[in-house]
Amino acid sequence: MNNTQEMVISLALEAWKLNINRADKLFDTFSDEQWQTDVALGRNRGIYLLGHLAAVHDRMLPLLNLGERLYPHLDDVYLLNPDRAVTGILTADELKLSWKNVNETLALGLDALPETEWLGRHNSISEEEFIKEPHRNKLSVLINRTHHMAYHLGQLALLKK
Amino acid sequence: MNNTQEMVISLALEAWKLNINRADKLFDTFSDEQWQTDVALGRNRGIYLLGHLAAVHDRMLPLLNLGERLYPHLDDVYLLNPDRAVTGILTADELKLSWKNVNETLALGLDALPETEWLGRHNSISEEEFIKEPHRNKLSVLINRTHHMAYHLGQLALLKK
């Protein structure tokens, strides 16, 4: 590893953290009523997207080999089914807490990830496949999930008053 | 430059292109009426966000030292003022053409950018400042603008029928 490479990885990591911070600031402004509102007429509610983001980030823990999932029970309501298909029992405050815990746990793992690991395979690809497709590495997961977060943040920002 | 660094830069570039492709596919499905619709009640219209994205990408040409701007006249309507403050005279088809031309011109420049240039300064930072803040490089512009695009794509996707 050299300094330039270090720089490139830290750029991707900083971009991730920047978007997490933006999300946290935005989420702290929403009332329960705002969380229950559709981001646009007939589309997902804020609370669904919050649970969805928490679930997707939670899945990054095993995917990046950073540990077990904290909230696997989120998937059924917020990931595998569309909004309102399954009734969620968690409040926005509870989901926000899950979101924060997941991101804090991820941050510890990501900050401690040795630079040499970033270009290693993630856990959804076999060693055999990875030889043929070396771009399917841990860094690509981080980049892709940052875009996923930015995409839904754009939608959640529509709930602002 | 080594292989790992090459990989990291190509990951960022692929992520940029993936989002451009997603945008193009989405934009091709919209009717004139959809472009004139607010992404959410009382928010930006689709056509404003299209012009906004074209303007922001157009500004990347001089910023990354890839050439002169193609459509500087977009800024007044789609960047410096909020939606509906200044009446745009361009149709959605004209804006879509600008969007495509800008991205094609950018792609030529980005693909030809020598790897050593990616970590060089962009044109909004002086050489002096860049010594203190070496992360403000061309790659960081590409990463940031990919998130910007994903953010607004999330909003534009709400116009889907």
Side-chain angles (χ1 to χ4, degrees):
Chain A
M1 260 316 142
N2 56 42
N3 279 344
T4 319
Q5 202 164 295
E6 222 171 89
M7 157 76 81
V8 176
I9 289 165
S10 89
L11 280 178
L13 203 47
E14 285 309 309
W16 165 265
K17 289 179 185 173
L18 182 76
N19 278 278
I20 296 277
N21 285 340
R22 278 183 189 152
D24 286 343
K25 276 190 190 148
L26 179 68
F27 294 175
D28 281 342
T29 67
F30 291 158
S31 64
D32 281 343
E33 193 198 330
Q34 279 169 296
W35 282 118
Q36 292 297 336
T37 307
D38 298 358
V39 295
L41 194 64
R43 303 290 168 159
N44 293 321
R45 287 170 304 157
I47 196 167
Y48 177 82
L49 291 177
L50 173 60
H52 176 73
L53 285 169
V56 167
H57 288 203
D58 194 44
R59 286 162 79 107
M60 290 171 71
L61 290 167
L63 188 58
L64 298 177
N65 214 19
L66 300 175
E68 295 293 314
R69 293 194 58 178
L70 304 180
Y71 306 105
H73 59 280
L74 293 177
D75 291 13
D76 189 40
V77 183
Y78 302 104
L79 190 71
L80 304 175
N81 287 293
D83 192 14
R84 296 183 175 90
V86 180
T87 307
I89 51 164
L90 298 172
T91 64
D93 279 343
E94 286 166 327
L95 286 172
K96 255 171 65 178
L97 189 63
S98 308
W99 162 256
K100 288 196 179 184
N101 282 341
V102 164
N103 290 325
E104 278 168 23
T105 309
L106 267 175
L108 291 175
L110 294 173
D111 284 334
L113 200 67
E115 278 163 39
T116 45
E117 286 267 325
W118 277 106
L119 298 187
R121 72 183 171 94
H122 58 67
N123 284 336
S124 288
I125 181 171
S126 69
E127 283 184 41
E128 210 169 38
E129 286 173 303
F130 187 61
I131 293 170
K132 285 178 267 174
E133 301 182 77
H135 58 279
R136 295 175 63 183
N137 51 42
K138 294 193 174 79
L139 185 62
S140 76
V141 170
L142 185 78
I143 291 174
N144 171 291
R145 295 306 184 277
T146 311
H147 300 147
H148 176 262
M149 173 165 41
Y151 184 94
H152 288 306
L153 279 186
Q155 299 176 331
L156 284 159
L158 299 171
L159 295 175
K160 275 193 284 195
K161 280 190 175 153
Chain B
M1 252 327 133
N2 54 44
N3 280 343
T4 316
Q5 201 165 296
E6 212 175 294
M7 160 72 83
V8 176
I9 289 165
S10 90
L11 280 178
L13 203 48
E14 286 309 310
W16 164 264
K17 289 179 185 174
L18 182 76
N19 278 278
I20 297 276
N21 285 340
R22 278 183 188 150
D24 286 344
K25 276 190 189 147
L26 179 67
F27 295 175
D28 281 343
T29 67
F30 291 157
S31 64
D32 282 343
E33 192 198 331
Q34 278 169 297
W35 282 117
Q36 293 297 336
T37 306
D38 298 359
V39 294
L41 194 64
R43 304 290 169 159
N44 293 321
R45 287 170 304 157
I47 195 167
Y48 178 83
L49 291 177
L50 172 60
H52 176 74
L53 284 169
V56 167
H57 288 202
D58 194 44
R59 286 163 79 107
M60 290 171 70
L61 290 167
L63 187 60
L64 298 177
N65 215 18
L66 300 176
E68 295 293 313
R69 294 194 57 178
L70 304 180
Y71 306 104
H73 58 280
L74 293 176
D75 291 12
D76 190 41
V77 183
Y78 302 104
L79 190 71
L80 305 174
N81 287 292
D83 192 14
R84 297 185 175 88
V86 180
T87 307
I89 51 164
L90 298 173
T91 64
D93 278 343
E94 287 167 328
L95 286 171
K96 254 172 65 176
L97 188 63
S98 308
W99 162 256
K100 288 197 179 184
N101 283 340
V102 164
N103 290 325
E104 277 169 21
T105 309
L106 267 175
L108 290 175
L110 294 173
D111 284 335
L113 201 66
E115 277 163 41
T116 46
E117 285 268 325
W118 277 105
L119 298 187
R121 74 183 170 94
H122 58 68
N123 283 336
S124 288
I125 181 170
S126 68
E127 283 184 41
E128 211 169 39
E129 286 172 303
F130 187 61
I131 293 169
K132 286 178 267 174
E133 302 181 77
H135 58 278
R136 296 175 63 184
N137 50 43
K138 294 193 173 80
L139 184 62
S140 76
V141 170
L142 185 78
I143 291 174
N144 171 293
R145 295 305 185 279
T146 311
H147 300 148
H148 176 261
M149 172 166 41
Y151 184 94
H152 289 305
L153 279 187
Q155 298 176 332
L156 284 160
L158 299 172
L159 295 175
K160 274 192 286 195
K161 282 193 173 149

